[in-house]
Amino acid sequence: MTSRSIPRLVAAILLGTCTAAIGLPTPIAVAGCSAAHWVSSWYAAPADAFSVGDEFGAPTLAVGDQSYRMVVTPHRGGAQTRVQLSNRYRAVPLTIDRATVAIQADGAAVQPDSVRSLTFGGDVGVTIAPRAEVVSDPVGLAVTAWQPVAIGFHTVGVATLLTQHQVGDATSYYTLPGSGDHTADIGGVAFSRRTTAVLVASGLDVLAPGDVSAVVALGDSITDGFETAGLPGSFDLVGTDSRYPDFLQRRLEAAGLPMSVVNAGISGNRVIAPGSSASALDRLDSDVIDRAGVTDVIVVEGINDVKEFPVAAADEVIAGYEELIGRLHAAGLRVHLGTLSGGILPFAEPARQRVDAWIRTQLLSDSVVDFDAALRDSANPAVLAAQYASADRLHPSSVGYQRMADTIDLATLTANHC
């Protein structure tokens, strides 16, 4: 048993399982995991409340009396569903008088007979307090993995600067201001505007068997799935489910492992300081620890700390990792720390190299995933290999994201939470 295995084994005993912690070839389920529980199936970490643009780059108009239909793709199916709505980045309440969930048909249209009204503590409408989030009551809508779901809601009153996740992985829809409540519409005619941001809707959980657990991918734009293959730059992966957490989900399914991978990446995110969103340390509880059914966390973050103003020293990033790992372990979660791949500005390269050297040799995390070694150009280790890179040689292409998912040792992941 290696030095790294000792804290992993202790954590495994506390969690009631001793599977990957002692080096078994694949995760296994523990007998007795029979009680159904909620598991996060899709997540989009709330990032900010800036004005978003539609697919043509025009600013969206969110002023009230509008309906929204956010399209999300669950990684895990279930017979019952619940939805999380977020007002995290607004200093004033947000009133929603009706919310729905349905199975997408085509575009903004949904499948007939699939629309379900959501309630919140038994009430049809909900006012979400400033900086707060709400979770709906369970609803009897069966969702299937990889089948897009439409989360609808109608805003009343002043509804400007809605909380959003800007780099969405699908095209979503909304109506013009003053157009009324269209959340129950089967057709999509009223939803004349489109956006690739995800507004207000931030999570979808499913009721799953007791042996199902969730893996949270915590990170920045590389986890978020940003790709610069074309112009203007961030829309190439929209609708393709080609981020590394998506490819990891497919690997888990092929291996028959009952795990759901949820994406908590935010483009521009940092470990220790706020950027366009709260730092990883500041959002650790809400975006990771509080996710339903979570047992494991894959962390790939720190590039923005060492290359963006205010620039952090390598030692500061390492101290941030130490705090992050300690808090996640205290919550009973296993931590898989990823190295930082190249492609950053030359002045930041020494700090990246020092951080990666520490990641590879530290004994705090439960495993290390060497993404840098998997993606780098052997002739120039400071950048990504051409076959794995998108145009900026910093963000991976879809082939690179597949490579990242293939680099993760499935045997290190916990198969259940029991």
Side-chain angles (χ1 to χ4, degrees):
M1 182 177 294
T2 66
S3 302
R4 191 187 303 279
S5 300
I6 295 173
R8 290 168 57 192
L9 179 58
V10 171
I13 292 171
L14 292 174
L15 287 170
T17 177
C18 53
T19 56
I22 57 175
L24 294 179
T26 57
I28 60 173
V30 172
C33 289
S34 57
H37 68 134
W38 290 104
V39 173
S40 183
S41 180
W42 169 85
Y43 190 62
D48 55 57
F50 300 146
S51 295
V52 299
D54 63 18
E55 79 272 23
F56 305 110
T60 60
L61 296 175
V63 298
D65 192 21
Q66 288 177 270
S67 297
Y68 298 80
R69 191 161 272 175
M70 299 292 107
V71 177
V72 310
T73 302
H75 275 178
R76 182 85 194 181
Q80 291 191 58
T81 304
R82 66 182 187 185
V83 169
Q84 178 175 300
L85 304 179
S86 179
N87 193 36
R88 189 187 299 182
Y89 283 93
R90 272 169 49 104
V92 295
L94 174 65
T95 298
I96 293 172
D97 65 349
R98 187 175 183 186
T100 58
V101 62
I103 307 300
Q104 184 192 29
D106 181 60
V110 296
Q111 293 183 10
D113 301 322
S114 74
V115 179
R116 303 287 188 274
S117 291
L118 297 174
T119 59
F120 302 84
D123 296 329
V124 173
V126 63
T127 295
I128 312 175
R131 315 295 185 190
E133 287 156 335
V134 296
V135 177
S136 74
D137 301 325
V139 63
L141 177 68
V143 302
T144 304
W146 306 107
Q147 169 63 58
V149 170
I151 299 172
F153 56 92
H154 176 246
T155 60
V156 295
V158 178
T160 56
L161 296 178
L162 299 176
T163 291
Q164 67 159 355
H165 181 94
Q166 190 167 23
V167 183
D169 191 44
T171 300
S172 292
Y173 306 87
Y174 61 101
T175 66
L176 292 173
S179 57
D181 180 5
H182 292 275
T183 55
D185 290 9
I186 302 301
V189 174
F191 295 88
S192 59
R193 305 300 293 173
R194 293 183 288 185
T195 180
T196 54
V198 185
L199 304 169
V200 179
S202 58
L204 185 147
D205 301 337
V206 297
L207 193 63
D211 65 341
V212 178
S213 61
V215 182
V216 174
L218 176 66
D220 49 35
S221 57
I222 291 177
T223 298
D224 208 6
F226 188 92
E227 185 183 15
T228 59
L231 297 175
S234 63
F235 302 98
D236 303 284
L237 296 185
V238 171
T240 67
D241 297 314
S242 297
R243 303 164 297 177
Y244 102 73
D246 299 317
F247 288 117
L248 178 58
Q249 183 67 55
R250 295 184 182 100
R251 283 193 66 206
L252 290 166
E253 291 173 359
L257 300 177
M259 306 189 81
S260 171
V261 185
V262 289
N263 194 327
I266 296 178
S267 293
N269 203 227
R270 308 182 194 189
V271 175
I272 59 175
S276 59
S277 57
S279 71
L281 289 173
D282 287 341
R283 66 189 184 94
L284 198 61
D285 287 335
S286 56
D287 289 348
V288 180
I289 295 172
D290 293 344
R291 293 305 95 215
V294 61
T295 57
D296 292 71
V297 187
I298 302 171
V299 181
V300 194
E301 191 152 7
I303 284 289
N304 294 312
D305 293 80
V306 300
K307 79 177 182 69
E308 301 289 348
F309 182 82
V311 174
D315 287 346
E316 294 177 296
V317 179
I318 290 168
Y321 287 146
E322 291 172 336
E323 179 183 344
L324 183 148
I325 293 168
R327 286 171 58 189
L328 291 173
H329 278 166
L333 306 182
R334 292 164 54 78
V335 184
H336 312 281
L337 192 57
T339 54
L340 307 179
S341 53
I344 60 177
L345 299 174
F347 80 86
E349 182 63 14
R352 183 186 76 87
Q353 293 286 355
R354 183 170 179 186
V355 168
D356 277 356
W358 180 85
I359 291 173
R360 292 184 178 104
T361 58
Q362 53 81 32
L363 300 176
L364 298 177
S365 68
D366 297 277
S367 77
V368 169
V369 188
D370 202 340
F371 293 121
D372 172 53
L375 295 173
R376 67 190 176 203
D377 186 336
S378 59
N380 181 8
V383 300
L384 301 184
Q387 66 267 35
Y388 300 132
S390 59
D392 65 0
R393 297 297 290 272
L394 169 64
H395 295 91
S397 63
S398 57
V399 175
Y401 287 131
Q402 174 76 72
R403 174 69 168 166
M404 289 180 68
D406 291 344
T407 302
I408 298 166
D409 182 359
L410 300 187
T412 63
L413 302 178
T414 305
N416 60 80
H417 75 294
C418 301

